[in-house]
Amino acid sequence: MRVVELALENLRSYADLTLPLAPGATALIGPNGGGKTNVLEAIHLLARGDSPRAREDRELVRWGATTARARADVLRAESERRIELLLFAPLEDERRPRRRLLLDGAGKRPEDAGGELVVVAFFPEDVELLGAAPPARRRFLDAMLGQVERAHRRESRELRRILEQRNALLRAAREDMTPPEAELAFWDRELVRLAASISLRRAALVAELAEPFREATARFSGASGLELRYAGQVGGDTVDERAAAYEQLLREKRDRERWQGTTLVGPHRDDLSVTSAGRPLPTFASRGEHRSAVLALKLAEAGWLTARTGETPVFLLDDVLSELDPARRDALARAIPRDAQALLTAAVVTSLPDELRERAAVLPVRMGEVG
Amino acid sequence: MPSALARPLARLIDELGKLPGVGPKTAQRLAYYILRAPGPDAEALAAAIRSVKTDLRYCSVCFNIAETDPCAICSSDERDAFVVCVVEEPLDVLAIERTGQYRGRYHVLHGAISPVNGVRPDDLKIPQLAERVKRGGIEELIFATNPNLEGEATAMYLAQLLGGSGARLTRLARGLPMGGDLEYADEVTVSRALEGRRAVS
């Protein structure tokens, strides 16, 4: 699939931009602060409903404007889709209107963003993925699943609400010393149901990623023997097995949960682990090795998304090349499938590996102007 | 800085602005409307507001808002005392009354269980419901709490609490709205509707 045209209004540095995009690779070249990343960020936003950089919609709206609009016309194997997103930056003491999402002009719930345009993204923030705290890795897995399975998006949202309620109950019960058993029953049941389903999907995903990840790391860094594993609280190949295991675990941890006033059981405690000969990656890897491992993970993601959706995802590679040595640049360039639309940013055209320089369209970007 | 607004007007705008769904601009518009309205209209509004606070009370049986205690429904001989429909809010009573089908009585919980908002069973009229069931004479309890997380939590808690009471416990059916289109329904609604499918007779 590919983005045929991207249009931005009052988004970040762009007052009004209409950008037709070619199939294949496109390199956005220009000085830092010129607006290259904003183009990639906008596509990520339309594809997955969130930005890798902005916490709030307000940050995405151009300074002085109250509304921003982003639109992508997407060409898929058998269909065309127009995705439009309206973001609001309300004035002081005004209530914030919700985002608006339009698919082919029809209003949808903003939570339903995702899946229409499938992307694999590498932003500078991702370098920390394997060294950062576990929530980043859980988000990585959930975002990948969320692109192809609506049910996963919905259940992740439900789990967040269940955890909020259950934690609030445990805290309140700890404070006034009331036994919460009868009140916990409903939240326990929902927690077990969602935990079983979410953890099973994640574990299956990681199992499918393990081999492509091993291959990609070998190609990239020459490093071999990197193991990808889902570090979950329970095992099991079916939802029922996992549900039984979670119920058991809930019983075991009951006293501790009451004492700590928080939910200790559930997929919000799981992690994605990368080990080499049994040692966790963060303890010995250099920054370069981290970068290579994350890139390998993203390439494995691309392969998985292709297999799942039957179409090649769009690659968004922000400032990846500048910090890679020539051999790894070439390896990355070769790893991007020829039929994939790929958008790369770089400060200077010379950082493009030869292989890409031959086939990529070059778009100069400066001062919020493209082309 | 001296305010350009006379103090009584500013006070009215502030008070109106506290109402749900009313922002600063709407509050201003309403305040000026009230200011310009003929005398009796504004007086009638003020009297109506005062009256809801002074002339209304909770029915001591079902906890609906009423002018009398017990309320008209609880004291009516034409209403079936063996069936009690449990709802979250007084407005839900109106929704069920509008069907014209229901001949039983009610119990208004005044909310749903939501620990995040500090609402636990004893903050609702749940102990009073348990008491009412214990007094006997109720054959069926219909849980008509909302089909959302908090409503489901409340219904399940009530089911546990009142399971041994001998009353039949039922829950309102969930599924597709009348007059709606299947293709526009979300997947949760459709799967609930599938679970709750019935034989065509």
Side-chain angles (χ1 to χ4, degrees):
Chain A
M1 69 180 68
R2 68 186 184 92
V3 179
V4 180
E5 186 173 274
L6 178 73
L8 308 177
E9 242 175 75
N10 291 328
L11 194 102
R12 292 277 193 194
S13 55
Y14 292 104
D16 190 0
L17 172 77
T18 304
L19 184 64
L21 290 167
T26 297
L28 299 155
I29 307 288
N32 294 332
K36 304 184 298 280
T37 301
N38 299 347
V39 172
L40 271 54
E41 181 184 34
I43 294 175
H44 192 282
L45 186 67
L46 287 160
R48 297 193 175 190
D50 66 352
S51 152
R53 304 191 293 169
R55 294 246 164 271
E56 281 190 59
D57 284 359
R58 180 191 296 270
E59 300 168 39
L60 293 159
V61 180
R62 190 165 176 261
W63 202 82
T66 53
T67 314
R69 185 192 296 264
R71 163 174 69 78
D73 291 337
V74 179
L75 187 65
R76 305 188 56 145
E78 280 160 15
S79 61
E80 285 171 47
R81 268 289 207 196
R82 170 166 286 195
I83 310 171
E84 286 174 281
L85 196 60
L86 266 80
L87 308 172
F88 301 97
L91 301 168
E92 205 71 24
D93 69 67
E94 254 185 84
R95 244 169 315 177
R96 188 171 62 142
R98 261 160 62 94
R99 273 180 185 194
R100 298 235 303 138
L101 171 71
L102 301 164
L103 293 180
D104 289 335
K108 301 277 168 193
R109 289 182 306 183
E111 305 89 86
D112 285 342
E116 301 298 336
L117 169 61
V118 179
V119 299
V120 175
F122 191 100
F123 283 81
E125 288 79 0
D126 291 322
V127 178
E128 301 301 328
L129 183 64
L130 295 175
R137 288 182 290 279
R138 290 192 294 264
R139 274 199 303 275
F140 166 72
L141 295 176
D142 287 341
M144 200 189 310
L145 286 162
Q147 288 207 96
V148 296
E149 287 201 50
R150 277 168 72 91
H152 195 79
R153 294 205 295 274
R154 191 189 69 239
E155 288 178 357
S156 303
R157 230 165 30 232
E158 286 176 1
L159 178 67
R160 268 198 299 280
R161 293 185 56 205
I162 299 285
L163 288 174
E164 279 172 22
Q165 292 283 14
R166 196 170 182 278
N167 288 342
L169 176 58
L170 287 167
R171 262 196 315 277
R174 185 180 58 173
E175 240 141 69
D176 58 18
M177 316 271 283
T178 49
E181 284 308 316
E183 289 174 66
L184 272 174
F186 174 80
W187 308 111
D188 283 1
R189 187 187 75 183
E190 292 297 291
L191 175 64
V192 164
R193 174 177 73 83
L194 294 166
S197 162
I198 289 172
S199 71
L200 178 61
R201 245 187 248 117
R202 285 193 197 153
L205 164 66
V206 175
E208 287 168 29
L209 285 179
E211 189 50 41
F213 174 73
R214 236 190 322 266
E215 281 169 21
T217 44
R219 252 185 301 156
F220 245 113
S221 51
S224 58
L226 277 192
E227 295 288 334
L228 197 61
R229 197 171 56 81
Y230 185 63
Q233 286 178 321
V234 307
D237 296 330
T238 65
V239 173
D240 289 344
E241 276 174 51
R242 282 177 177 262
Y246 272 119
E247 271 169 20
Q248 171 68 23
L249 198 59
L250 267 180
R251 276 194 295 276
E252 286 167 18
K253 301 250 182 178
R254 181 65 100 219
D255 286 345
R256 266 181 71 102
E257 284 194 326
R258 285 186 58 183
W259 175 59
Q260 294 195 6
T262 193
T263 300
L264 301 172
V265 175
H268 63 297
R269 311 283 290 192
D270 293 351
D271 197 359
L272 171 70
S273 87
V274 179
T275 54
S276 175
R279 279 196 308 163
L281 182 72
T283 58
F284 62 85
S286 70
R287 191 175 163 81
E289 284 174 301
H290 267 285
R291 179 179 296 269
S292 299
V294 174
L295 270 173
L297 193 56
K298 298 280 179 170
L299 291 173
E301 175 184 11
W304 185 84
L305 288 171
T306 307
R308 264 306 176 90
T309 62
E311 294 185 63
T312 321
V314 175
F315 286 70
L316 305 173
L317 301 167
D318 186 33
D319 204 21
V320 179
L321 301 165
S322 62
E323 288 187 55
L324 290 177
D325 57 40
R328 287 189 172 128
R329 280 186 204 169
D330 287 338
L332 175 63
R334 278 194 304 276
I336 300 170
R338 292 224 155 225
D339 67 339
Q341 186 177 46
L343 295 159
L344 305 94
T345 67
V348 290
V349 79
T350 45
S351 58
L352 291 183
D354 295 340
E355 138 115 32
L356 269 178
R357 221 180 310 172
E358 277 166 27
R359 60 173 162 129
V362 172
L363 275 178
V365 182
R366 57 172 61 235
M367 312 279 284
E369 303 272 333
V370 182
Chain B
M1 192 181 80
S3 170
L5 273 180
R7 203 167 306 148
L9 193 53
R11 214 176 86 197
L12 181 58
I13 292 171
D14 282 350
E15 292 301 324
L16 290 169
K18 292 179 190 167
L19 298 175
V22 178
K25 288 228 174 88
T26 309
Q28 279 179 25
R29 206 162 55 233
L30 289 173
Y32 277 99
Y33 176 84
I34 292 168
L35 178 68
R36 291 184 188 127
D41 286 5
E43 282 303 326
L45 176 63
I49 291 172
R50 203 170 301 114
S51 165
V52 295
K53 296 305 282 185
T54 54
D55 300 340
L56 291 182
R57 64 208 81 228
Y58 290 118
C59 168
S60 59
V61 181
C62 71
F63 296 93
N64 197 2
I65 294 162
E67 278 181 89
T68 57
D69 180 19
C71 71
I73 293 177
C74 286
S75 49
S76 163
D77 293 337
E78 288 167 24
R79 305 295 296 228
D80 183 350
F82 305 116
V83 184
V84 171
C85 180
V86 182
V87 296
E88 290 181 18
E89 299 291 346
L91 280 175
D92 300 333
V93 172
L94 287 185
I96 292 180
E97 282 300 288
R98 268 200 305 270
T99 65
Q101 278 190 23
Y102 180 64
R103 304 306 305 160
R105 294 185 178 169
Y106 293 95
H107 192 91
V108 183
L109 298 173
H110 291 277
I113 292 174
S114 176
V116 164
N117 298 315
V119 182
R120 296 177 60 189
D122 290 357
D123 300 313
L124 303 170
K125 303 294 178 194
I126 287 179
Q128 291 85 343
L129 176 62
E131 193 57 38
R132 196 174 162 188
V133 172
K134 211 160 73 186
R135 282 200 298 271
I138 296 176
E139 287 170 9
E140 179 175 1
L141 281 165
I142 305 170
F143 299 141
T145 51
N146 290 327
N148 55 26
L149 198 56
E150 291 76 19
E152 295 292 339
T154 309
M156 180 168 162
Y157 180 81
L158 291 174
Q160 274 184 123
L161 183 71
L162 305 171
S165 67
R168 195 160 81 94
L169 307 181
T170 58
R171 179 96 174 93
L172 283 193
R174 289 160 303 188
L176 297 166
M178 286 303 290
D181 272 330
L182 186 58
E183 63 169 317
Y184 292 120
D186 67 285
E187 68 269 21
V188 182
T189 303
V190 177
S191 61
R192 286 288 158 81
L194 265 176
E195 282 165 24
R197 69 187 185 278
R198 286 200 304 205
V200 183
S201 52

